[in-house]
Amino acid sequence: MGRRSLKEDQQKRIVEAFYEVAKREGIENTSFGKVAKELDMHQSLVVHYFATKDDLLLGLIDFIILKYENIYQFELEQADPLERLTAVMQNIFSRKWDNYIDDSIFYNCFALIFRNEVIKHRFRDLHLLLRGWLQNLIQACIDERQLTCDDAAKTADLIFVISDGAYYYLSMIQDTNDYDMHLERYRQQAFKILGLDVLAEK
């Protein structure tokens, strides 16, 4: 694997700083100047790597994709497809998944799809990528006759519909016990879609 270039390293630093400033002040209030100040660098250097704020936002969505990718990576070391799938499902319906990206950042980016076609397509790519990763895990289990569902793509899509709706609603719940109760309910329904009712009750 080749060494990351200076350009890639700088872009990564700038996007991470953008994320941190946006968490504190909101995406709409985040400027090149504030990002530069966060990094203690000249504003012109930020502009050198990201010509517009939209470019920075696209970099932020790529950053979100990498964060979510982490939830799949360590499972790849497990040999059994059903164990990999179960571990990923447990992560998707857990606080770990919810904590990968700050809710305000995620939904701020999402709101931009109604005004920016490029961001809309990039956000759709994110959702298709997440579904594709899960679809592949489900298909591996089907191939090994560990699942009886007949359409991995449809099943992955339904699970993410539950997940997307779940976290939208959960973001408004303050009480920890109430949050956990709802999250567990959604997790069980997702396992039942897979035909894994026994695992759903664990």
Side-chain angles (χ1 to χ4, degrees):
M1 194 171 193
R3 185 180 178 278
R4 288 172 60 90
S5 69
L6 177 61
K7 178 180 179 180
E8 289 173 325
D9 286 338
Q10 286 285 50
Q11 287 175 327
K12 182 173 182 289
R13 287 183 63 221
I14 291 167
V15 169
E16 289 175 345
F18 179 53
Y19 175 74
E20 292 302 323
V21 174
K23 268 203 308 185
R24 294 195 306 267
E25 303 189 29
I27 285 177
E28 65 282 359
N29 296 319
T30 302
S31 63
F32 283 151
K34 290 177 180 178
V35 172
K37 184 176 180 181
E38 181 83 2
L39 291 169
D40 194 24
M41 69 168 53
H42 198 277
Q43 183 173 326
S44 62
L45 191 56
V46 178
V47 176
H48 173 73
Y49 289 108
F50 295 95
T52 68
K53 191 171 180 180
D54 280 354
D55 291 336
L56 252 180
L57 286 166
L58 292 174
L60 181 59
I61 294 171
D62 289 338
F63 174 75
I64 291 171
I65 291 172
L66 288 173
K67 284 283 192 178
Y68 281 138
E69 186 176 12
N70 290 334
I71 213 159
Y72 286 84
Q73 291 306 308
F74 76 93
E75 276 71 357
L76 298 179
E77 300 172 4
Q78 301 181 31
D80 182 71
L82 186 58
E83 288 181 4
R84 291 202 304 269
L85 175 61
T86 301
V88 167
M89 288 287 292
Q90 296 288 10
N91 281 341
I92 290 173
F93 292 92
S94 72
R95 288 184 180 273
K96 179 187 290 188
W97 178 264
D98 195 31
N99 290 335
Y100 265 99
I101 293 293
D102 182 80
D103 282 343
S104 67
I105 298 294
F106 185 88
Y107 289 115
N108 259 295
C109 286
F110 179 76
L112 294 171
I113 72 170
F114 300 104
R115 303 199 306 269
N116 186 309
E117 282 295 316
V118 176
I119 290 174
K120 181 177 183 177
H121 287 300
R122 188 66 64 89
F123 228 83
R124 178 168 170 76
D125 289 343
L126 163 62
H127 282 270
L128 290 175
L129 190 61
L130 292 173
R131 282 161 169 73
W133 287 334
L134 186 59
Q135 176 185 336
N136 291 339
L137 291 174
I138 293 170
Q139 188 62 55
C141 292
I142 293 172
D143 294 344
E144 293 293 322
R145 300 184 185 280
Q146 294 173 311
L147 292 179
T148 57
C149 56
D150 58 0
D151 190 328
K154 177 181 175 182
T155 303
D157 183 55
L158 288 173
I159 288 168
F160 270 104
V161 167
I162 292 174
S163 171
D164 293 342
Y167 288 113
Y168 174 77
Y169 179 61
L170 289 170
S171 66
M172 294 178 275
I173 297 179
Q174 299 293 321
D175 181 79
T176 300
N177 291 331
D178 194 26
Y179 183 105
D180 290 340
M181 179 192 71
H182 280 84
L183 183 58
E184 177 61 17
R185 181 184 300 160
Y186 305 141
R187 186 189 69 83
Q188 289 185 17
Q189 289 303 312
F191 271 99
K192 287 178 181 178
I193 288 173
L194 290 166
L196 298 174
D197 294 35
V198 175
L199 289 175
E201 302 303 326
K202 291 185 178 180

